[in-house]
Amino acid sequence: MNYTDRLISLAVLAAALAGCDFNEDFCTRNGELVAWCDFSGISVPPPVPEERHLTAYPADTDLPAGTTVTFTQDTLRWSIPQGGYRFLFYTGNYEAAGTGDYHEARLTAATDSLDGEAYISGVQRFCCTAMLNERLEYQSPKRVRITPSAFVQRLNIQVNVSGNTAPLSSLKGTLSGISTGRYLVSRERTGNAGVTSVFARKAGTDEWKTSLYVFGFNPAVENTLTVKVGMDGEDSVFDEQQSVDLTPYVRGFDGDELSLELNLHIGRELTIDDPVVIPEWEDIPETELPNL
């Protein structure tokens, strides 16, 4: 064998080794997942790619369970060992807990403690999830369209104020019995805390509105809304608060959005009438203000 033949033989051998064609036992062949999201069923603006996450749970590969990647653009290309997988997709910046176990993976909201009571410390944002099962094969990209569904519920509250409204400057509401976490697979809710939200006044009216997203409502705790009424200047001595039980409306509610209307009478007597369900909700620009 001359020098040229030896070079050719070495090149062929190197190519075989690089492609792992010589022995499957010494080679992990990767498949490729090509995934994109279809948000056409979601009414809110879609999350940016950096808030879209995909977690893998292998059935027959050595990839660690719970390995998560984040989209960097609308289409995700993920090269991972070929084999069967269950995938969990979720959006948003929530903390993901228990991701090492497919059935224990859940999203949680951060909480703070005040006077021994737990409160959700930040504004919960809209998020959606999806589950998919796929088998990846070597040199055969798997193209998948992800169709997420809402993972949080939106609660809208409108307060119609009457009576001595001239010095009224602010309304703040605190609702108890909010779930602080939710499992991705079973969608079961967990945890308990309160959440505070600021009402915004609709220009030219005595309607005050607020909206918030939550994982759901704790079925073992009453869902009491406490409204704090703030007055201007010297009238601040008349600041008051009233409460109303929303449990009959929110307990067991499994829809995506619930809108409630309350009547608040201030002056000599401060009372909140029983809420009614609003069939159609109209946003105002000041909605979804930061929680306190």
Side-chain angles (χ1 to χ4, degrees):
M1 178 181 297
N2 59 33
Y3 180 74
T4 301
D5 291 337
R6 288 177 183 175
L7 288 178
I8 294 174
S9 298
L10 288 174
V12 172
L13 178 60
L17 290 174
C20 295
D21 292 330
F22 67 102
N23 192 331
E24 292 288 346
D25 294 335
F26 295 99
C27 178
T28 300
R29 292 175 179 258
N30 282 358
E32 184 181 34
L33 179 70
V34 181
W36 66 96
C37 301
D38 179 0
F39 292 108
S40 60
I42 303 297
S43 59
V44 302
V48 297
E50 290 76 13
E51 292 186 1
R52 306 172 194 176
H53 316 283
L54 191 65
T55 302
Y57 295 90
D60 49 15
T61 78
D62 57 1
L63 185 76
T67 299
T68 301
V69 295
T70 297
F71 285 58
T72 57
Q73 53 189 359
D74 286 336
T75 300
L76 171 72
R77 294 182 177 274
W78 191 3
S79 178
I80 51 178
Q82 65 176 340
Y85 289 89
R86 293 183 294 187
F87 293 97
L88 292 177
F89 171 83
Y90 64 94
T91 68
N93 291 321
Y94 292 98
E95 179 183 352
T99 54
D101 187 315
Y102 179 75
H103 293 285
E104 293 297 321
R106 61 193 182 278
L107 301 185
T108 63
T111 60
D112 287 330
S113 181
L114 179 63
D115 297 328
E117 300 290 336
Y119 292 90
I120 294 176
S121 56
V123 177
Q124 285 195 246
R125 299 297 185 186
F126 177 83
C127 69
C128 50
T129 64
M131 295 180 289
L132 49 150
N133 299 325
E134 300 294 341
R135 173 164 288 276
L136 305 185
E137 299 177 357
Y138 178 62
Q139 293 183 335
S140 180
K142 176 67 69 172
R143 303 183 183 278
V144 177
R145 179 174 62 183
I146 300 174
T147 307
S149 60
F151 193 65
V152 289
Q153 295 174 298
R154 184 180 181 184
L155 177 63
N156 307 311
I157 301 176
Q158 175 178 312
V159 178
N160 304 318
V161 183
S162 60
N164 185 24
T165 63
L168 179 60
S169 63
S170 66
L171 290 183
K172 300 177 182 178
T174 300
L175 181 61
S176 64
I178 303 299
S179 298
T180 57
R182 195 172 191 184
Y183 289 89
L184 290 167
V185 175
S186 67
R187 301 177 76 85
E188 180 181 349
R189 302 174 181 97
T190 183
N192 176 56
V195 62
T196 299
S197 187
V198 179
F199 287 82
R201 183 177 185 175
K202 184 177 180 180
T205 73
D206 284 319
E207 296 177 2
W208 295 68
K209 293 185 174 185
T210 191
S211 295
L212 60 153
Y213 288 109
V214 297
F215 287 129
F217 308 95
N218 191 321
V221 181
E222 288 187 353
N223 306 111
T224 302
L225 173 68
T226 300
V227 178
K228 295 182 179 180
V229 179
M231 299 292 191
D232 271 329
E234 295 179 355
D235 291 304
S236 62
V237 295
F238 300 107
D239 290 358
E240 297 190 50
Q241 68 180 40
Q242 288 291 331
S243 298
V244 61
D245 185 12
L246 299 185
T247 307
Y249 301 90
V250 302
R251 179 172 290 176
F253 175 72
D254 285 325
D256 292 338
E257 185 171 8
L258 176 64
S259 302
L260 300 176
E261 183 176 5
L262 301 163
N263 293 315
L264 176 62
H265 306 273
I266 62 176
R268 289 182 303 174
E269 183 180 6
L270 186 63
T271 61
I272 297 179
D273 290 349
D274 290 338
V276 297
V277 178
I278 303 174
E280 294 184 6
W281 178 263
E282 181 183 351
D283 277 331
I284 58 177
E286 294 83 0
T287 196
E288 295 186 52
L289 296 181
N291 294 358
L292 301 181

